[in-house]
Amino acid sequence: MLITHDTRCALDTVVDLVNTVPEDESAPDGLPDVAALQHFVGTHEISDVGVLTELDLSAVRVIRGRFAAVFAAPDARTAAGLINDLVAAAGTTPRLTDHDGYDWHIHYFAPGASIADHLTADCGMALAFFVVAGEQERLRRCEAPDCRRAFVDLSRNRSRRYCDSRTCGNRLHVAAYRARRKEAAG
């Protein structure tokens, strides 16, 4: 599957956005205030964003929950319905652009769109490409029992199971190794 630079950026953005959702009521929100949203926008180099407000923060929190549902979708039909609803609500306006040193690419949001519509359009279309390519199963949640972070499995054979092999994957492998050694020691 060919993934263009702008699609990859949108995928990274939507994964990071979904992963700001608190895992439970006791966990902190990854987007607690407008300053955090501004930092998120800056970190992901999201272009064409004006001054952010509490309304923007509220709208982004709503769409991140809707994106989280896409990662939890049991099948392509469900994912497609969720993505269609998201993208339709954003009022996509595809247009070619070359800015900030990047070659020609497509923006799906209308000029002057809110940050929520901007994220919904660009990230929604990036996820849509996976459904269209028959690759919806690559939109995953970490299989570690104490982690439910979202990720996009871009491995060649669709075998990635953990959001980060150095943390979740390694921790589980070490625990399994210790359990086997303990069992062998009797």
Side-chain angles (χ1 to χ4, degrees), residues 4 6 20 30 38 45 56 63 76 79 91 93 96 100 102 116 122 124 144 152 162 173 177-178:
T4 62
D6 50 317
T20 66
Q38 185 65 52
E45 299 178 357
D56 291 313
I63 63 158
T93 307
L96 288 167
D100 298 329
Y102 294 108
D122 274 358
V152 178
Y162 307 110
H173 289 111
Y177 170 77
R178 289 181 179 158

Side-chain angles (χ1 to χ4, degrees), residues 4-145:
T4 62
H5 172 76
D6 50 317
T7 300
R8 179 61 191 257
C9 289
L11 289 171
D12 291 344
T13 299
V14 72
V15 164
D16 289 349
L17 180 63
V18 167
N19 288 333
T20 66
V21 176
E23 291 191 29
D24 58 45
E25 292 79 34
S26 65
D29 192 310
L31 288 177
D33 53 32
V34 174
L37 178 58
Q38 185 65 52
H39 182 262
F40 183 88
V41 166
T43 299
H44 290 87
E45 299 178 357
I46 300 170
S47 62
D48 201 19
V49 176
V51 176
L52 299 173
T53 67
E54 288 290 333
L55 290 172
D56 291 313
L57 178 61
S58 178
V60 168
R61 285 178 174 166
V62 168
I63 63 158
R64 75 177 177 182
R66 295 180 70 192
F67 278 128
V70 173
F71 279 84
D75 55 49
R77 184 165 304 284
T78 303
L82 294 167
I83 294 167
N84 282 340
D85 291 346
L86 275 161
V87 172
T92 58
T93 307
R95 63 188 167 98
L96 288 167
T97 183
D98 64 339
H99 61 86
D100 298 329
Y102 294 108
D103 204 359
W104 289 106
H105 59 281
I106 300 172
H107 281 186
Y108 294 95
F109 59 93
S114 70
I115 184 64
D117 284 348
H118 181 140
L119 291 170
T120 301
D122 274 358
C123 296
M125 291 305 299
L127 295 175
F129 293 139
F130 275 78
V131 174
V132 167
E135 301 286 349
Q136 180 263 335
E137 73 276 358
R138 289 182 182 268
L139 308 176
R140 297 192 175 163
R141 291 291 190 158
C142 184
E143 290 183 19

